[in-house]
Amino acid sequence: MNIEERLRLIKLFNLYKNLLTSKQKEIFTSYYFYDLSLSEISEEFKSSRSFIQAELKRVKEKLEDYEIKLRLDEKLQEILNLELKEEEKEKIREIVERGEKNGL
């Protein structure tokens, strides 16, 4: 996975993480944010390495599916590409971030 794909996946996670189970969030965070290996994560969760790998694949597929259906990232990019004043764009970013923090 190249850096662009990784960053996109992290972006989708930030948008849709509240639609995942707590275990899926922990596994994703351990792998993508804390850069733990599959073996380290499997030890932490007392699961097999293959289970962790499969769970990461399921989370990736879910995130991609949510974006296909809901298109939040696409819509956010469209909004940010509008010819708005910088302060209006910043206000939109704040609203999105507030929604993420509040589980929306």
Side-chain angles (χ1 to χ4, degrees), residues 15 71-80 92 96:
L15 285 169
R71 299 177 34 230
L72 294 180
D73 184 43
E74 180 183 326
K75 291 172 185 174
L76 178 60
Q77 291 308 311
E78 287 175 8
I79 290 168
L80 294 175
I92 291 169
V96 169

Side-chain angles (χ1 to χ4, degrees), residues 15-27:
L15 285 169
Y16 299 113
K17 65 185 167 201
N18 293 315
L19 300 174
L20 301 173
T21 67
S22 59
K23 191 170 192 174
Q24 288 172 327
K25 287 188 265 191
E26 289 178 46
I27 291 171

Side-chain angles (χ1 to χ4, degrees), residues 46-86:
K46 298 180 183 10
S47 300
S48 69
R49 185 181 180 282
S50 61
F51 171 80
I52 298 300
Q53 189 173 27
E55 194 64 13
L56 283 168
K57 183 180 177 188
R58 277 190 289 276
V59 169
K60 180 182 176 187
E61 289 169 353
K62 279 186 169 190
L63 294 173
E64 295 288 354
D65 189 50
Y66 292 144
E67 179 58 20
I68 288 168
K69 290 177 179 172
L70 301 172
R71 299 177 34 230
L72 294 180
D73 184 43
E74 180 183 326
K75 291 172 185 174
L76 178 60
Q77 291 308 311
E78 287 175 8
I79 290 168
L80 294 175
N81 288 333
L82 292 174
E83 302 222 1
L84 300 173
K85 296 178 186 171
E86 198 54 43

